[in-house]
Each structure stands twice: as C-alpha cells, then as structure tokens.
Amino acid sequence: MQPVATRPVPEPELPPSRGEISAAVIAYLRGTGPLPGEAALAGADPLGDDLQLALYLCYELHYRGFAGVPEAREWDPELLRVRAALEEPFLAALRKGATRHERAADALDELLVEPVDGEGVSHFLQDEGELWQLREYAAQRSVYHLKEADPHAWVLPRLWGRAKAGMAAVEFDEWGGGRAERVHAQLFADLMSDLELDPAYGRYLDASGAEALAVVNLMSLFGLHRALRGALVGHFASVEITSSPGSRRLAKAMRRLGAGPAAEHFYAEHVEADAVHEQVVRREVVAGLLEVEPHLDADVAFGVDATGWLEDRLADRLLEAWRSGRTSLRTAV
C-alpha cells in the first residue's frame, strides 16, 4: 500500500488544445487571448474532442484548477457564458441520443439484468485483456477516479430527508469512512502505482479521448445545475448498481495479469461496498427523492440512460482499438 500524501497536491498543468475552441479557452485561462467566438461554438461537434476538452477545462476550475490560472476564473462571467454555450449542445445530444425510459423504475430495473454473453470492457479484460490494455484503461479512467465521489457531492445541498441521508452515507464510504488511506480516489492512485502509471491528478488528461472526457463532464454538468438534480441521482444510481459485477471482473483481470495487490484491491473493495450502496441508493436516495419530488421521475431515468449511453461509447472506442491491436489513447503513457 502506498503512503497517503500529506503535502499539498500541486495543481495540474493545462493540457494541449484539441481545436479552435479549446485553444481559445486555454489562451483565456493563461491571459493571452480571447474566448472563442459564436461561430466556433456553433459549429462544434458536441461529443468531439475540442468541445469536450473545453468543457472539461471550464468544469475543472470548480475542482483543483490549473497551475498558473487565477482562482477568480472559477466565477468569471464571460467564461461562464462560454461554458453555458458548450453545455447546451452537449445536453441536447444526450437527450436526443440517450433517452430511452420515462420512468426511473424501468431504467433501474433494466440495469439489474446482465446479458449472459456480456461483451463489455470488463468482460474483455477479464477473459483476454493484456497488461498494456489494463494500463490504458486505468489511465483513461483516472480522469474520473482521481476525483471519485466529488462531482456527486454537488447534489447534497439539493436533497433533503431520506434522499440526503442516503446520499451522504454512500459518499462517506466513498471518501474512506473518515480514513484518508481508504478514500477511493487514493485507492485508485495506489492502483495506478501498481500499474507503473503516474498517479498525479490530471496526468493523463491529454491521453484520454473525448469519450472518456464526456463521462466525467456528464457528472459535472448534472452536479453543477440544480435543475438537473434528478439526472445526477439517476447517474449515481446507475454507477452504484452496475459497479459490483464489473468490479468483480476487473479484480479477476488484475489478478490474472499480476497487476499487483493495490490494483486488485481497488476493484475488490468496490465489489462489496457497491453491492451495499446499490440498495441504499435505490431504497433511500431514489425513492426518497421521488417521494417528495415525483415530477423528477423522468429526469432520474434520463440520468440512468445518459450514463449508459456515454459508457457504451467509451467501451466501443476501447474495444475497437484493442481488438485491432491498436492503442486506445491519444498519446502514449
């Protein structure tokens, strides 16, 4: 087990741009140029690298920030205006492409049934994956797991009663139950060290494709908007319900490939913890929310659907590359 860092965590460096929009946002954060204009924003692919990186940069100011970027940029009115212009097409694409259910119960029930012939990333890594593919998976997942549980915390002030209590209970577990060495983000950093990856926060942002960034941006989008609190609860429920079986397969993959005890422990921990969390989220968080705000039923379902849709897009990118013998990363690790 790696020791828990006690020194201040350095802010990550700004990454290279991926197009006109992200280049302009980076220049603005550095104080060297203006924000992107309306023409550039209007023509952007809502799920593409350029827009997703630009949106990630805007959101990250609410978390760790970036080295050399003034903290006041977090609430810069012009930057918030651009962020809203980036969020609009992203949210529209999600509603159009992902929506499948109108009721939360139907969306959640579907998650409880796993296909017998599963073909997802965790199945692939368990059965035939190689160590280099495990490392690529961990590198791209690090943009989420090194801030695990943090985006979900935004919803706590927007809940009350059973929903708030249940959400706080699960978040407490995600943050280690009061023990720094058991915080799940720290456990993932230990996993990365076992895989000989750099556990520094934000280290593999440039290596991660648009699909991985979209998964993280979804959480920030839902968490930072009170109007999307139902979608955030749906997202959280989806993560907790699907985590346990996938984590079991990934723990087996780590063991089979000799990834190391910390690498295996991260997923083994989630097998047990998330099996319990699943029940709390369904019976207390989701049920508690809909008991007092039944009009959010479709929003919770949308959160479930959007999460699965983006996870499937990421899985397609990874598996397409790996089955062709190619890297799934934008840059080498």
Side-chain angles (χ1 to χ4, degrees):
M1 181 73 67
Q2 297 293 318
V4 177
T6 57
R7 295 174 296 175
V9 179
E11 296 168 334
E13 298 291 332
L14 283 166
S17 65
R18 303 187 189 181
E20 181 180 0
I21 298 173
S22 55
V25 171
I26 290 170
Y28 188 77
L29 293 177
R30 287 178 172 153
T32 60
L35 286 164
E38 292 183 6
L41 294 171
D45 176 359
L47 299 171
D49 273 296
D50 193 22
L51 186 144
Q52 287 299 319
L53 176 60
L55 193 52
Y56 180 95
L57 297 173
C58 292
Y59 286 146
E60 192 57 32
L61 299 177
H62 299 291
Y63 297 100
R64 300 281 187 88
F66 294 99
V69 176
E71 293 184 352
R73 287 294 193 210
E74 179 182 4
W75 299 111
D76 183 301
E78 291 305 306
L79 191 60
L80 291 175
R81 177 186 61 78
V82 168
R83 193 189 89 185
L86 297 171
E87 289 175 330
E88 184 178 355
F90 180 40
L91 183 57
L94 291 170
R95 292 198 183 281
K96 180 180 179 180
T99 302
R100 296 177 52 243
H101 300 93
E102 294 183 358
R103 298 180 62 252
D106 294 337
L108 294 172
D109 286 346
E110 192 170 298
L111 294 180
L112 296 173
V113 181
E114 280 208 324
V116 176
D117 54 345
E119 298 180 346
V121 170
S122 63
H123 292 89
F124 177 89
L125 291 173
Q126 172 190 253
D127 299 334
E128 56 185 297
E130 300 180 24
L131 188 58
W132 66 271
Q133 293 162 333
L134 270 183
R135 297 180 76 244
E136 288 194 359
Y137 181 73
Q140 295 206 63
R141 280 300 194 188
S142 69
V143 295
Y144 161 55
H145 280 304
L146 292 181
K147 61 158 61 81
E148 185 170 356
D150 292 348
H152 303 130
W154 295 107
V155 82
L156 281 168
R158 293 151 184 175
L159 304 176
W160 58 89
R162 290 167 54 203
K164 182 188 283 286
M167 190 78 184
V170 176
E171 288 282 85
F172 184 64
D173 284 350
E174 299 286 345
W175 289 320
R179 295 176 57 182
E181 74 277 7
R182 295 183 62 181
V183 172
H184 285 189
Q186 178 61 48
L187 296 181
F188 195 82
D190 298 338
L191 171 150
M192 296 179 75
S193 295
D194 260 6
L195 291 172
E196 299 184 352
L197 295 169
D198 186 346
Y201 184 91
R203 168 66 177 81
Y204 297 108
L205 173 58
D206 190 37
S208 301
E211 295 83 359
L213 298 188
V215 169
V216 183
N217 286 339
L218 178 76
M219 296 184 288
S220 297
L221 171 67
F222 289 168
L224 287 168
H225 291 272
R226 181 178 178 275
L228 295 172
R229 62 193 180 280
L232 190 282
V233 167
H235 162 79
F236 189 65
S238 178
V239 170
E240 296 300 327
I241 289 172
T242 60
S243 173
S244 188
S247 292
R248 182 177 291 106
R249 289 187 287 269
L250 289 168
K252 290 180 179 178
M254 296 291 176
R255 188 182 314 120
R256 178 175 66 82
L257 293 169
E264 182 180 341
H265 175 69
F266 175 82
Y267 289 109
E269 168 77 9
H270 280 70
V271 172
E272 180 177 348
D274 290 345
V276 175
H277 293 170
E278 171 196 331
Q279 299 301 314
V280 176
V281 171
R282 286 208 69 172
R283 297 176 182 177
E284 301 301 323
V285 182
V286 175
L289 173 67
L290 296 182
E291 181 179 43
V292 294
E293 297 194 276
H295 61 282
L296 295 180
D297 197 5
D299 287 352
V300 175
F302 169 63
V304 174
D305 289 343
T307 302
W309 192 64
L310 289 182
E311 288 286 356
D312 287 346
R313 293 181 75 254
L314 174 58
D316 289 345
R317 176 192 176 100
L318 296 174
L319 294 175
E320 180 183 5
W322 293 343
R323 285 171 175 154
S324 301
R326 296 181 288 104
T327 180
S328 64
L329 302 174
R330 295 183 67 258
T331 61
V333 294

